[in-house]
Amino acid sequence: MENNRMMDSTKLFWHMDRVIRHFDNNERVAPIHIDWGLSKFCNCRCRFCFGEFQNMKHEYIQKDALLKSVRESAEIGVKSIAFIGDGEPTMNPHLYEALKIGKQSGLSLALSTSGIALDDDEKIETVLDCCEWMRFSLSAGDSEGYKKIHQVNKFDVVVDNIKRIVSIKNSKKYKCDIGLQAVFVPELMKDDMIKEAKLAVDLGVDYFVIKQCSLPVDNKAVGSVQFDVNSYTQDDVINSLKEAEKLSTDHTKIIPKWKTMERKGKREYDHCPAVPLISEISGNGDFFPCGYFFGNKPQYEKYKFGNIHEKSIKEIFESERYWQIIKHFREEFDSSKTCFGSCRLDACNRFISEYLNKPQSVNFI
């Protein structure tokens, strides 16, 4: 059977014990997964970046708070952590120790990186040994496109580092899934996805996933990019992505996120019930239900669970504030008026909303 990475849906089917405990039995359960930022700065200036929207500053999570919170995440029942955004994880000098601590604690781990600083064998082997998957954030297939999109002249550095990690994985039989991920903006890079699909195959990575760009507030712009979500369903864009998809081989899969692009950020649910199952930590330690609220915005302070420099994960999880916010997001929070763009929690929210809306005659499957 072909490896099914399920990048365009949810894996909550395999965590129904926790769904039932919380939504049927009203138990307080830990998140299954946390997306965890480690820094508030980056070594790229991607044109689609949320940095301006998220108030990026030159700061990162400090060692003691990071390592303690990783250990405690496993203790309270978190199953997985992805060190991913809101800045570049490799800019935090304590990343590799956090990976080791996470593995020792029994967590499933992942890393998303620009790949610029993943430049020596010791770092690479730590990632390959500790992570179930890692991916390079890359939205171009050649140096010209890279400079246009990521706005630094580091394409050759990144490609060399990808070659290096693939070589070490293959020679030492690591199991870590290695991929590329492009944030796709049709107006900026329609043909770049075909070039990058060819590059992915040539580099021998396991997959190349093409995801939609999201929109923070005004449904027109993110970073320095202007675009229309309707572009994703234009014939020439679809045909270009299909051409990229056809370049898949038995080893390297090209995966456009068709369902997410077709949805264009539309929601069929009113609230945000999935918050107890998946949440996010910013690169400054702020712990929120969702990364949309990052950036020290006064209007979202009421949604902040806490900061791991001030209280540990366990203390935050056991606080009444945490559970009051969880309740608010399930019962009162209006996602249609507060959130914009393609939501990180969307697939989980759709699953839980359908689960809670039990149909008649449920035994007639």
Side-chain angles (χ1 to χ4, degrees):
M1 182 178 291
E2 182 177 315
N3 182 8
N4 182 11
R5 294 180 174 87
M6 290 190 70
M7 292 183 172
D8 208 9
S9 57
T10 177
K11 300 170 185 171
L12 279 177
F13 299 102
W14 289 271
H15 299 281
M16 290 307 298
D17 58 334
R18 201 163 297 199
V19 172
I20 291 168
R21 284 173 54 204
H22 182 70
F23 294 100
D24 292 352
N25 301 338
N26 201 32
E27 293 183 34
R28 293 183 171 185
V29 300
I32 298 166
H33 175 77
I34 300 175
D35 279 344
W36 200 314
L38 293 180
S39 73
K40 293 287 285 184
F41 57 102
C42 192
N43 47 19
C44 287
R45 299 192 302 276
C46 306
R47 292 183 61 186
F48 48 74
C49 183
F50 260 49
E52 183 177 345
F53 179 69
Q54 294 180 328
N55 191 24
M56 303 295 278
K57 295 181 178 179
H58 196 91
E59 54 188 339
Y60 58 81
I61 298 178
Q62 298 301 303
K63 179 179 177 178
D64 289 347
L66 174 60
L67 301 186
K68 180 179 182 180
S69 292
V70 169
R71 287 191 189 95
E72 287 193 352
S73 294
E75 290 173 7
I76 66 173
V78 173
K79 291 181 177 290
S80 65
I81 291 172
F83 292 120
I84 176 172
D86 36 352
E88 166 56 36
T90 60
M91 295 291 94
N92 189 313
H94 313 301
L95 163 65
Y96 303 100
E97 190 170 356
L99 287 172
K100 293 175 182 177
I101 292 294
K103 181 184 178 182
Q104 291 167 9
S105 301
L107 291 163
S108 295
L109 300 168
L111 173 69
S112 180
T113 174
S114 68
I116 292 171
L118 194 59
D119 54 5
D120 70 54
D121 290 359
E122 184 177 357
K123 294 176 183 177
I124 286 172
E125 293 216 44
T126 297
V127 171
L128 291 173
D129 183 54
C130 296
C131 292
E132 291 189 13
W133 58 264
M134 69 82 55
R135 65 177 178 235
F136 292 85
S137 298
L138 180 64
S139 297
D142 59 23
S143 57
E144 181 180 353
Y146 191 91
K147 283 187 285 187
K148 175 182 69 175
I149 296 161
H150 297 286
Q151 300 192 99
V152 292
N153 188 18
K154 296 291 185 179
F155 179 77
D156 291 339
V157 171
V158 173
V159 168
D160 285 345
N161 289 342
I162 296 171
K163 290 178 180 177
R164 192 173 189 171
I165 198 168
V166 170
S167 175
I168 292 173
K169 172 189 171 174
N170 292 339
S171 64
K172 298 197 175 182
K173 309 297 183 184
Y174 285 109
K175 294 181 180 180
C176 179
D177 213 28
I178 299 173
L180 311 182
Q181 176 176 273
V183 176
F184 176 51
V185 184
E187 289 86 344
L188 183 64
M189 57 182 82
K190 184 182 72 175
D191 296 326
D192 288 271
M193 298 301 94
I194 296 172
K195 294 178 183 177
E196 187 168 351
K198 293 176 181 177
L199 176 66
V201 172
D202 290 343
L203 291 172
V205 296
D206 298 300
Y207 67 88
F208 166 41
V209 62
I210 304 167
K211 64 175 285 187
Q212 79 300 326
C213 189
S214 193
L215 295 160
V217 177
D218 59 11
N219 279 353
K220 291 188 296 184
V222 57
S224 61
V225 173
Q226 300 284 329
F227 74 101
D228 184 344
V229 292
N230 295 310
S231 300
Y232 289 109
T233 50
Q234 292 177 350
D235 289 343
D236 58 340
V237 173
I238 292 172
N239 291 336
S240 180
L241 292 180
K242 285 182 175 178
E243 187 175 344
E245 188 177 39
K246 288 178 182 177
L247 294 169
S248 292
T249 68
D250 289 341
H251 179 76
T252 303
K253 301 303 177 186
I254 314 301
I255 310 170
K257 297 180 75 170
W258 293 113
K259 293 178 184 177
T260 306
M261 286 186 276
E262 288 168 2
R263 293 184 64 80
K264 301 176 185 177
K266 295 178 182 177
R267 297 171 176 82
E268 289 83 25
Y269 46 87
D270 297 322
H271 309 304
C272 193
V275 167
L277 305 178
I278 176 172
S279 50
E280 302 190 41
I281 295 176
S282 178
N284 65 355
D286 284 343
F287 189 10
F288 277 99
C290 173
Y292 186 80
F293 306 120
F294 291 173
N296 297 317
K297 306 181 189 74
Q299 67 270 33
Y300 298 144
E301 185 69 20
K302 60 187 175 183
Y303 300 141
K304 186 165 75 174
F305 296 135
N307 184 292
I308 64 171
H309 289 114
E310 299 164 2
K311 292 185 178 180
S312 71
I313 282 281
K314 186 175 181 181
E315 290 175 310
I316 293 171
F317 170 71
E318 292 177 347
S319 69
E320 287 306 311
R321 176 183 177 87
Y322 180 92
W323 291 103
Q324 287 168 1
I325 293 170
I326 294 290
K327 185 175 187 292
H328 172 79
F329 271 78
R330 177 175 173 177
E331 298 178 359
E332 302 174 48
F333 181 79
D334 189 341
S335 61
S336 66
K337 293 181 179 179
T338 306
C339 301
F340 299 87
S342 183
C343 173
R344 173 69 176 88
L345 279 68
D346 179 64
C348 292
N349 274 331
R350 284 186 283 113
F351 181 96
I352 295 299
S353 294
E354 186 171 352
Y355 179 79
L356 292 173
N357 187 25
K358 189 175 183 179
Q360 291 182 340
S361 304
V362 70
N363 293 333
F364 291 86
I365 61 173

